[in-house]
Amino acid sequence: MVERDRLHMSSREFFENLEQYFLKLIMGRQRRSYTDYAMIGVMFFASRFYRMATQFRIWLYDKRIVRNRAIGCLVVSIGNLSCGGTGKTPVVEVFARTLSQKGRRVAILSRGYRSKKRTWREKIRQKFSSEKMEVPPKVVSDGEKLLLDSAYAGDEPYMLARNLKGVVVLVDKDRVKSGLYAIDEFETDTLILDDGFQYLRLKPHINIVLVDTTSPFGNHHVLPRGTLREPVKNIRRADYIFLTKSNGGNQLRHLKSFLRRHNHRAEIIECCHMPQYLEHAFQPDDKLELEHLKNLKVAAISAIANPLSFENFLEGFGAKLTLREHYADHHRYSETEIEIFAHQAKLSGARMIVTTEKDAVRIPASVKTELPIYFLRIKIDILSGQENFDQCISRICFLSD
């Protein structure tokens, strides 16, 4: 068992390092050798094929050669063009909470990125079972209580389920299946398709696309040469565009003009991610005001797509960062990693460890550290386009199924 865990850790570390290497190549942060330039060339040509395949798939759906499903329920898709880092989870949360408060019976459908899969024994048993029963989706929350931990649910579905009372959260790659399950088992009338812009099988009534104002489209290349999942021009499918992580300045004029050239009908809503307070990772009732960070020596640890924005928040509230540690996006921490970091943090003079909410759900609850671990609770503030947001909510609430 120990040997198997060690092999799992080493393979995970290898693939995370490989992912980091390719991200550095994409972002231009890698010192270029002949091998790097060759790899960039391979990635460029691969991205051309990926782009063609993506556009061909969309064309098949546009021409109704491949048909998407309408399942007799309102479907709101919230997604993005790029891979991670747009601040999607807080936006999904604010939509789910607002719609639930307006009287809609809401279910969030997630694919559960990097959640634990069934074991190979379970898969074989299911495959060769005489009872060909369809495996139901994972129920992270039935709207009343949490039913799965973050490892099996995935960090983002778990976060949403923990923060949203009265909202069902389901995880399955087949969102048509999980949508039908939500309707049959929980009588939901509104489905929020988390990370749904590329999920064309389920027909949305409203398409919401998020664009990170700090890095809107990376280097404008699609995978694997860039971070785009599909070409920028496909933002024309959006009904609403959320500009996230905005600072409220006038420098977004060019971005808005660029978006208007590709989509002249979508309403644009500008928002920012605002820290609310610090919350203890394992004691939900232990909350601290952000003023507590003033002149406090802090160690920051994170495994998100854009760790600098998180660290800038801490420094903006007066924290003095004595130690920083970055892991690959969605990295699941081991007890040893956290305990070593905590020891180094104490040696650096830190009085507290601070992480993100997504990271906090991936830290083992059994970990033992001398320093307390807190996470930064974030909420969405709409800076401009509040009337468009209200209109969007009203549109969803009064649409017939």
Side-chain angles (χ1 to χ4, degrees):
M1 178 67 106
V2 174
E3 186 63 31
R4 187 179 68 183
D5 289 345
R6 194 174 296 151
L7 285 171
H8 173 72
M9 290 286 288
S10 61
S11 64
R12 184 186 69 177
E13 187 177 353
F14 169 77
F15 285 112
E16 286 184 355
N17 289 338
L18 193 63
E19 178 184 325
Q20 292 295 94
Y21 167 73
F22 282 115
L23 281 174
K24 286 177 181 177
L25 279 184
I26 289 169
M27 301 300 181
R29 299 175 188 155
Q30 177 77 13
R31 293 185 66 181
R32 303 286 174 80
S33 65
Y34 289 117
T35 304
D36 294 335
Y37 281 113
M39 186 59 68
I40 288 170
V42 171
M43 290 161 63
F44 175 81
F45 284 108
S47 72
R48 299 298 95 185
F49 285 107
Y50 181 87
R51 181 190 178 103
M52 286 189 291
T54 299
Q55 292 302 97
F56 180 64
R57 176 173 173 264
I58 293 170
W59 179 82
L60 290 175
Y61 278 97
D62 284 345
K63 299 301 179 182
R64 308 291 290 168
I65 297 170
V66 178
R67 293 182 177 271
N68 51 21
R69 287 281 303 274
I71 58 176
C73 184
L74 281 174
V75 178
V76 180
S77 169
I78 301 178
N80 45 44
L81 287 174
S82 57
C83 296
T86 58
K88 175 174 55 61
T89 304
V91 174
V92 172
E93 182 179 328
V94 78
F95 264 93
R97 177 175 287 110
T98 306
L99 289 170
S100 181
Q101 290 170 350
K102 294 284 186 180
R104 304 295 295 195
R105 295 188 297 277
V106 180
I108 297 172
L109 310 182
S110 174
R111 62 176 175 149
Y113 182 63
R114 291 196 182 179
S115 61
K116 273 191 180 179
K117 309 296 188 295
R118 287 178 297 146
T119 66
W120 63 271
R121 286 191 182 89
E122 290 172 333
K123 290 178 181 178
I124 290 174
R125 190 182 303 121
Q126 175 66 26
K127 186 174 180 64
F128 294 102
S129 172
S130 57
E131 299 179 5
K132 297 297 181 183
M133 297 289 290
E134 186 176 47
V135 178
K138 297 176 184 175
V139 182
V140 186
S141 169
D142 60 4
E144 299 296 327
K145 56 185 179 294
L146 276 168
L147 301 173
L148 294 176
D149 62 18
S150 66
Y152 281 94
D155 49 4
E156 291 165 355
Y158 180 85
M159 267 178 59
L160 290 166
R162 188 181 65 179
N163 293 334
L164 294 166
K165 298 300 179 185
V167 175
V168 174
V169 181
L170 303 177
V171 166
D172 200 291
K173 284 185 178 180
D174 186 345
R175 257 77 72 83
V176 173
K177 180 178 79 176
S178 59
L180 292 170
Y181 187 88
I183 295 168
D184 293 340
E185 297 296 324
F186 300 103
E187 299 182 344
T188 55
D189 56 31
T190 305
L191 302 175
I192 295 180
L193 200 55
D194 181 18
D195 199 15
F197 194 58
Q198 286 76 37
Y199 193 79
L200 304 179
R201 284 190 59 212
L202 188 56
K203 184 177 182 180
H205 291 77
I206 294 177
N207 242 329
I208 298 166
V209 176
L210 277 54
V211 176
D212 179 2
T213 59
T214 62
S215 179
F217 309 110
N219 58 14
H220 284 249
H221 287 290
V222 299
L223 294 166
R225 180 62 187 92
T227 56
L228 290 176
R229 300 175 181 181
E230 53 184 297
V232 174
K233 66 179 181 180
N234 290 347
I235 205 165
R236 63 194 172 197
R237 301 203 308 273
D239 299 302
Y240 293 88
I241 299 173
F242 270 69
L243 301 181
T244 62
K245 303 181 184 178
S246 171
N247 61 10
N250 295 320
Q251 69 274 19
L252 295 183
R253 286 199 314 272
H254 297 300
L255 176 58
K256 289 179 180 178
S257 298
F258 177 81
L259 292 170
R260 281 282 170 243
R261 289 201 296 272
H262 292 288
N263 187 330
H264 61 274
R265 66 180 181 84
E267 302 291 353
I268 295 178
I269 299 166
E270 193 178 333
C271 61
C272 66
H273 291 61
M274 284 298 296
Q276 291 181 285
Y277 51 80
L278 294 166
E279 182 176 322
H280 196 286
F282 311 119
Q283 299 170 23
D285 294 331
D286 183 357
K287 296 181 175 65
L288 298 174
E289 297 295 327
L290 295 173
E291 288 76 15
H292 190 82
L293 291 171
K294 186 73 173 176
N295 296 321
L296 184 70
K297 291 183 177 180
V298 165
I301 184 169
S302 59
I304 55 176
N306 185 7
L308 292 181
S309 62
F310 158 64
E311 291 167 4
N312 288 340
F313 274 141
L314 297 180
E315 291 179 323
F317 284 97
K320 296 179 179 179
L321 298 188
T322 62
L323 186 65
R324 309 165 193 244
E325 185 72 69
H326 304 153
Y327 286 89
D329 195 12
H330 292 278
H331 174 81
R332 189 160 291 279
Y333 302 100
S334 67
E335 287 184 23
T336 304
E337 287 170 336
I338 297 300
E339 287 168 2
I340 289 173
F341 178 77
H343 178 68
Q344 293 172 338
K346 188 172 177 60
L347 293 177
S348 72
R351 303 289 301 278
M352 175 192 295
I353 295 171
V354 182
T355 188
T356 71
E357 188 172 3
K358 282 187 181 181
D359 286 293
V361 303
R362 290 187 247 117
I363 296 175
S366 55
V367 72
K368 293 180 173 60
T369 62
E370 292 185 51
L371 296 178
I373 303 175
Y374 285 82
F375 67 82
L376 202 59
R377 176 75 171 124
I378 301 290
K379 71 170 184 176
I380 290 293
D381 270 0
I382 295 176
L383 301 178
S384 70
Q386 179 68 51
E387 65 283 358
N388 293 330
F389 176 77
D390 295 339
Q391 176 203 58
C392 181
I393 294 296
S394 297
R395 182 177 168 188
I396 296 168
C397 288
F398 294 106
L399 272 172
S400 57
D401 296 349

